[in-house]
Amino acid sequence: IDAPGIAALAEAMKPLGEVIVVAPKTDQSGKSHSTTILGSLPKPIPVEHDGKPFGTAIDGTPADCVLAAVYWLSPDQKFDLVVSGINRGTNVGVGSLYSGTVGAAVEGALAKIPAIAFSQDSGRKEYAVSAQIAAKIVERAMKEGLAPYTLLNVNIPPGNPKGVKVASMGDSLYLLDHFETRGDVVKPILKRATELLPDRDTAFYAEGYVTIAPLTIDWTSRESLKPIERWELELPK
């Protein structure tokens, strides 16, 4: 709730409509689409910035926060859009499957609300440029609309972006290399991938483009339906 990226995104959204901020109480990196709220309802915590009401903190995951906002804290409110971020650290390609930022957008899509997740390269120290990019994308998305159960995964690269590329989800930008033991802690060590699938969001991001990957909550591998049907499986008697 105190992350500067959330404050920057909330401020950028104000000219586009009423903004309701609900965010995790603590850092929830890597929590993906996990939820805890279905087991119990965490107590909401009002949060102020500079002495003014800012939003509500939830002792839970990013997906919990969307559930809380839509079904609990503002059940009579019609939400036009869910925006998540701005996360410090890229969530491009299949790496987005681990992302709590993207997980919150998934929860918005499940609620049949258009949703957009924003992340920026960890090398960026400020959020002004990313917030301006987010405002332009959100404004256009609200005007054009999104297909049902669709979310956008947007990533802003380091430096001055070359432009915007809309592309399919790519492979991972970082690969697990090995684990190191540091005292009592075991840390994963990542390395940057050297070969990337062409014309996918990961490759365009690595080339310096803002990437937009339209994702859907339907994970069906349609090319596998017919082949698996031909297995002609029979249940055991």
Side-chain angles (χ1 to χ4, degrees):
I1 189 70
D2 292 322
I6 292 178
L9 185 60
E11 187 66 26
M13 295 300 102
K14 287 182 179 179
L16 304 177
E18 180 185 359
V19 178
I20 295 176
V21 177
V22 183
K25 178 182 176 182
T26 59
D27 182 16
Q28 297 291 304
S29 296
K31 293 300 177 69
S32 187
H33 188 220
S34 62
T35 61
T36 61
I37 198 172
L38 297 179
S40 62
L41 296 177
K43 183 179 179 181
I45 306 167
V47 174
E48 294 185 347
H49 282 185
D50 299 324
K52 299 179 181 179
F54 174 71
T56 302
I58 297 291
D59 190 9
T61 67
D64 286 335
C65 294
V66 177
L67 285 166
V70 174
Y71 299 106
W72 175 29
L73 300 176
S74 307
D76 299 324
Q77 185 84 25
K78 180 185 180 300
F79 288 89
D80 299 297
L81 190 73
V82 168
V83 291
S84 181
I86 302 167
N87 185 68
R88 184 170 181 263
T90 178
N91 284 309
V92 73
V94 295
S96 62
L97 296 176
Y98 297 95
S99 167
T101 303
V102 176
V106 169
E107 193 59 53
L110 281 171
K112 300 181 180 180
I113 305 171
I116 308 177
F118 293 99
S119 303
Q120 70 174 32
D121 191 88
S122 57
R124 286 186 172 273
K125 302 304 180 184
E126 49 79 35
Y127 293 86
V129 172
S130 296
Q132 292 172 5
I133 292 171
K136 285 185 175 293
I137 292 173
V138 167
E139 185 174 22
R140 191 60 182 266
M142 294 180 70
K143 179 181 178 181
E144 302 292 343
L146 297 177
Y149 298 113
T150 295
L151 58 135
L152 303 182
N153 181 28
V154 179
N155 282 274
I156 296 98
N160 295 320
K162 294 179 180 179
V164 179
K165 293 285 188 180
V166 180
S168 302
M169 176 190 288
D171 38 3
S172 181
L173 186 62
Y174 294 96
L175 305 173
L176 178 60
D177 188 46
H178 64 281
F179 286 92
E180 285 186 1
T181 301
R182 301 175 181 176
D184 296 330
V185 178
V186 178
K187 300 282 289 186
I189 305 301
L190 305 179
K191 64 178 181 180
R192 186 154 175 149
T194 56
E195 296 182 6
L196 299 170
L197 293 171
D199 300 326
R200 302 288 186 93
D201 68 339
T202 310
F204 285 128
Y205 179 88
E207 293 171 7
Y209 289 92
V210 173
T211 60
I212 303 176
L215 308 180
T216 177
I217 60 175
D218 181 355
W219 288 10
T220 305
S221 173
R222 286 173 173 76
E223 61 268 28
S224 300
L225 290 173
K226 292 297 182 182
I228 295 176
E229 281 180 4
R230 290 195 291 270
W231 291 4
E232 298 181 352
L233 294 170
E234 294 184 4
L235 295 177
K237 295 181 180 179

PDB file of all heavy atoms in Angstrom, residues 1-3 7 14 21 44-57:
ATOM      1  N   ILE A   1       0.831  -1.209   0.000  1.00  0.00           N
ATOM      2  CA  ILE A   1       0.000   0.000   0.000  1.00  0.00           C
ATOM      3  C   ILE A   1       0.861   1.253   0.000  1.00  0.00           C
ATOM      4  O   ILE A   1       0.451   2.306  -0.479  1.00  0.00           O
ATOM      5  CB  ILE A   1      -0.971  -0.020   1.203  1.00  0.00           C
ATOM      6  CG1 ILE A   1      -2.012   1.114   1.104  1.00  0.00           C
ATOM      7  CG2 ILE A   1      -0.197   0.073   2.530  1.00  0.00           C
ATOM      8  CD1 ILE A   1      -3.022   0.945   0.040  1.00  0.00           C
ATOM      9  N   ASP A   2       2.074   1.151   0.524  1.00  0.00           N
ATOM     10  CA  ASP A   2       2.968   2.313   0.574  1.00  0.00           C
ATOM     11  C   ASP A   2       3.964   2.338  -0.588  1.00  0.00           C
ATOM     12  O   ASP A   2       4.852   3.196  -0.609  1.00  0.00           O
ATOM     13  CB  ASP A   2       3.732   2.335   1.904  1.00  0.00           C
ATOM     14  CG  ASP A   2       2.806   2.607   3.082  1.00  0.00           C
ATOM     15  OD1 ASP A   2       1.884   3.429   2.915  1.00  0.00           O
ATOM     16  OD2 ASP A   2       2.999   1.997   4.146  1.00  0.00           O
ATOM     17  N   ALA A   3       3.835   1.413  -1.532  1.00  0.00           N
ATOM     18  CA  ALA A   3       4.748   1.392  -2.673  1.00  0.00           C
ATOM     19  C   ALA A   3       4.551   2.630  -3.535  1.00  0.00           C
ATOM     20  O   ALA A   3       3.409   3.000  -3.843  1.00  0.00           O
ATOM     21  CB  ALA A   3       4.519   0.136  -3.509  1.00  0.00           C
ATOM     22  N   ALA A   7       1.056   4.603  -5.662  1.00  0.00           N
ATOM     23  CA  ALA A   7       0.686   6.016  -5.549  1.00  0.00           C
ATOM     24  C   ALA A   7       0.727   6.708  -6.904  1.00  0.00           C
ATOM     25  O   ALA A   7      -0.167   7.493  -7.250  1.00  0.00           O
ATOM     26  CB  ALA A   7       1.608   6.722  -4.564  1.00  0.00           C
ATOM     27  N   LYS A  14      -6.670   9.394 -11.738  1.00  0.00           N
ATOM     28  CA  LYS A  14      -7.676  10.337 -11.244  1.00  0.00           C
ATOM     29  C   LYS A  14      -8.392  11.123 -12.342  1.00  0.00           C
ATOM     30  O   LYS A  14      -9.606  11.340 -12.255  1.00  0.00           O
ATOM     31  CB  LYS A  14      -7.043  11.289 -10.228  1.00  0.00           C
ATOM     32  CG  LYS A  14      -6.745  10.633  -8.888  1.00  0.00           C
ATOM     33  CD  LYS A  14      -6.159  11.634  -7.900  1.00  0.00           C
ATOM     34  CE  LYS A  14      -5.884  10.965  -6.562  1.00  0.00           C
ATOM     35  NZ  LYS A  14      -5.288  11.922  -5.575  1.00  0.00           N
ATOM     36  N   VAL A  21      -8.522   2.708  -4.040  1.00  0.00           N
ATOM     37  CA  VAL A  21      -7.258   1.999  -3.846  1.00  0.00           C
ATOM     38  C   VAL A  21      -7.416   0.959  -2.741  1.00  0.00           C
ATOM     39  O   VAL A  21      -7.753   1.287  -1.606  1.00  0.00           O
ATOM     40  CB  VAL A  21      -6.121   2.973  -3.477  1.00  0.00           C
ATOM     41  CG1 VAL A  21      -4.821   2.199  -3.217  1.00  0.00           C
ATOM     42  CG2 VAL A  21      -5.917   4.005  -4.569  1.00  0.00           C
ATOM     43  N   PRO A  44      -9.757  -4.654   7.276  1.00  0.00           N
ATOM     44  CA  PRO A  44      -9.233  -3.583   6.418  1.00  0.00           C
ATOM     45  C   PRO A  44      -8.611  -2.470   7.252  1.00  0.00           C
ATOM     46  O   PRO A  44      -9.082  -2.151   8.345  1.00  0.00           O
ATOM     47  CB  PRO A  44     -10.473  -3.083   5.678  1.00  0.00           C
ATOM     48  CG  PRO A  44     -11.613  -3.410   6.580  1.00  0.00           C
ATOM     49  CD  PRO A  44     -11.235  -4.678   7.294  1.00  0.00           C
ATOM     50  N   ILE A  45      -7.539  -1.889   6.722  1.00  0.00           N
ATOM     51  CA  ILE A  45      -6.813  -0.850   7.447  1.00  0.00           C
ATOM     52  C   ILE A  45      -6.831   0.433   6.620  1.00  0.00           C
ATOM     53  O   ILE A  45      -6.248   0.478   5.526  1.00  0.00           O
ATOM     54  CB  ILE A  45      -5.352  -1.278   7.695  1.00  0.00           C
ATOM     55  CG1 ILE A  45      -5.300  -2.637   8.396  1.00  0.00           C
ATOM     56  CG2 ILE A  45      -4.598  -0.212   8.482  1.00  0.00           C
ATOM     57  CD1 ILE A  45      -3.923  -3.270   8.400  1.00  0.00           C
ATOM     58  N   PRO A  46      -7.494   1.497   7.077  1.00  0.00           N
ATOM     59  CA  PRO A  46      -7.474   2.764   6.338  1.00  0.00           C
ATOM     60  C   PRO A  46      -6.056   3.338   6.305  1.00  0.00           C
ATOM     61  O   PRO A  46      -5.338   3.296   7.306  1.00  0.00           O
ATOM     62  CB  PRO A  46      -8.416   3.672   7.145  1.00  0.00           C
ATOM     63  CG  PRO A  46      -9.225   2.750   7.997  1.00  0.00           C
ATOM     64  CD  PRO A  46      -8.339   1.575   8.274  1.00  0.00           C
ATOM     65  N   VAL A  47      -5.669   3.855   5.146  1.00  0.00           N
ATOM     66  CA  VAL A  47      -4.322   4.393   4.976  1.00  0.00           C
ATOM     67  C   VAL A  47      -4.408   5.833   4.490  1.00  0.00           C
ATOM     68  O   VAL A  47      -5.198   6.147   3.599  1.00  0.00           O
ATOM     69  CB  VAL A  47      -3.516   3.553   3.959  1.00  0.00           C
ATOM     70  CG1 VAL A  47      -2.173   4.201   3.661  1.00  0.00           C
ATOM     71  CG2 VAL A  47      -3.312   2.140   4.490  1.00  0.00           C
ATOM     72  N   GLU A  48      -3.595   6.703   5.088  1.00  0.00           N
ATOM     73  CA  GLU A  48      -3.535   8.105   4.676  1.00  0.00           C
ATOM     74  C   GLU A  48      -2.169   8.409   4.080  1.00  0.00           C
ATOM     75  O   GLU A  48      -1.165   7.822   4.482  1.00  0.00           O
ATOM     76  CB  GLU A  48      -3.789   9.029   5.876  1.00  0.00           C
ATOM     77  CG  GLU A  48      -5.193   8.941   6.446  1.00  0.00           C
ATOM     78  CD  GLU A  48      -5.420   9.970   7.543  1.00  0.00           C
ATOM     79  OE1 GLU A  48      -4.414  10.569   8.028  1.00  0.00           O
ATOM     80  OE2 GLU A  48      -6.583  10.185   7.928  1.00  0.00           O
ATOM     81  N   HIS A  49      -2.163   9.323   3.122  1.00  0.00           N
ATOM     82  CA  HIS A  49      -0.926   9.893   2.587  1.00  0.00           C
ATOM     83  C   HIS A  49      -0.976  11.396   2.795  1.00  0.00           C
ATOM     84  O   HIS A  49      -1.943  12.042   2.370  1.00  0.00           O
ATOM     85  CB  HIS A  49      -0.771   9.580   1.099  1.00  0.00           C
ATOM     86  CG  HIS A  49      -0.296   8.189   0.820  1.00  0.00           C
ATOM     87  ND1 HIS A  49      -0.005   7.733  -0.448  1.00  0.00           N
ATOM     88  CD2 HIS A  49      -0.041   7.144   1.660  1.00  0.00           C
ATOM     89  CE1 HIS A  49       0.394   6.484  -0.381  1.00  0.00           C
ATOM     90  NE2 HIS A  49       0.371   6.098   0.873  1.00  0.00           N
ATOM     91  N   ASP A  50       0.014  11.936   3.462  1.00  0.00           N
ATOM     92  CA  ASP A  50       0.073  13.382   3.735  1.00  0.00           C
ATOM     93  C   ASP A  50      -1.190  13.877   4.431  1.00  0.00           C
ATOM     94  O   ASP A  50      -1.708  14.960   4.138  1.00  0.00           O
ATOM     95  CB  ASP A  50       0.287  14.158   2.428  1.00  0.00           C
ATOM     96  CG  ASP A  50       1.593  13.797   1.744  1.00  0.00           C
ATOM     97  OD1 ASP A  50       2.583  13.550   2.453  1.00  0.00           O
ATOM     98  OD2 ASP A  50       1.610  13.758   0.496  1.00  0.00           O
ATOM     99  N   GLY A  51      -1.710  13.063   5.349  1.00  0.00           N
ATOM    100  CA  GLY A  51      -2.864  13.458   6.137  1.00  0.00           C
ATOM    101  C   GLY A  51      -4.190  13.350   5.418  1.00  0.00           C
ATOM    102  O   GLY A  51      -5.232  13.725   5.978  1.00  0.00           O
ATOM    103  N   LYS A  52      -4.198  12.820   4.208  1.00  0.00           N
ATOM    104  CA  LYS A  52      -5.434  12.673   3.437  1.00  0.00           C
ATOM    105  C   LYS A  52      -5.719  11.197   3.173  1.00  0.00           C
ATOM    106  O   LYS A  52      -4.788  10.408   2.982  1.00  0.00           O
ATOM    107  CB  LYS A  52      -5.325  13.428   2.108  1.00  0.00           C
ATOM    108  CG  LYS A  52      -5.116  14.925   2.252  1.00  0.00           C
ATOM    109  CD  LYS A  52      -4.984  15.587   0.882  1.00  0.00           C
ATOM    110  CE  LYS A  52      -4.752  17.080   1.017  1.00  0.00           C
ATOM    111  NZ  LYS A  52      -4.586  17.733  -0.325  1.00  0.00           N
ATOM    112  N   PRO A  53      -7.011  10.790   3.161  1.00  0.00           N
ATOM    113  CA  PRO A  53      -7.337   9.396   2.877  1.00  0.00           C
ATOM    114  C   PRO A  53      -6.770   8.965   1.525  1.00  0.00           C
ATOM    115  O   PRO A  53      -6.914   9.678   0.535  1.00  0.00           O
ATOM    116  CB  PRO A  53      -8.869   9.390   2.864  1.00  0.00           C
ATOM    117  CG  PRO A  53      -9.264  10.568   3.694  1.00  0.00           C
ATOM    118  CD  PRO A  53      -8.214  11.609   3.434  1.00  0.00           C
ATOM    119  N   PHE A  54      -6.103   7.822   1.502  1.00  0.00           N
ATOM    120  CA  PHE A  54      -5.505   7.320   0.266  1.00  0.00           C
ATOM    121  C   PHE A  54      -6.155   6.029  -0.198  1.00  0.00           C
ATOM    122  O   PHE A  54      -6.477   5.865  -1.368  1.00  0.00           O
ATOM    123  CB  PHE A  54      -4.004   7.093   0.465  1.00  0.00           C
ATOM    124  CG  PHE A  54      -3.331   6.437  -0.706  1.00  0.00           C
ATOM    125  CD1 PHE A  54      -3.142   7.135  -1.901  1.00  0.00           C
ATOM    126  CD2 PHE A  54      -2.891   5.116  -0.638  1.00  0.00           C
ATOM    127  CE1 PHE A  54      -2.527   6.524  -2.995  1.00  0.00           C
ATOM    128  CE2 PHE A  54      -2.270   4.508  -1.718  1.00  0.00           C
ATOM    129  CZ  PHE A  54      -2.098   5.206  -2.899  1.00  0.00           C
ATOM    130  N   GLY A  55      -6.345   5.100   0.733  1.00  0.00           N
ATOM    131  CA  GLY A  55      -6.915   3.819   0.334  1.00  0.00           C
ATOM    132  C   GLY A  55      -7.045   2.884   1.510  1.00  0.00           C
ATOM    133  O   GLY A  55      -7.040   3.303   2.666  1.00  0.00           O
ATOM    134  N   THR A  56      -7.155   1.599   1.207  1.00  0.00           N
ATOM    135  CA  THR A  56      -7.355   0.575   2.225  1.00  0.00           C
ATOM    136  C   THR A  56      -6.305  -0.509   2.059  1.00  0.00           C
ATOM    137  O   THR A  56      -6.085  -1.002   0.945  1.00  0.00           O
ATOM    138  CB  THR A  56      -8.757  -0.048   2.103  1.00  0.00           C
ATOM    139  OG1 THR A  56      -9.739   0.984   2.232  1.00  0.00           O
ATOM    140  CG2 THR A  56      -8.983  -1.099   3.177  1.00  0.00           C
ATOM    141  N   ALA A  57      -5.660  -0.879   3.165  1.00  0.00           N
ATOM    142  CA  ALA A  57      -4.694  -1.962   3.155  1.00  0.00           C
ATOM    143  C   ALA A  57      -5.364  -3.244   3.626  1.00  0.00           C
ATOM    144  O   ALA A  57      -6.184  -3.236   4.549  1.00  0.00           O
ATOM    145  CB  ALA A  57      -3.503  -1.631   4.047  1.00  0.00           C
TER     146      ALA A  57
END
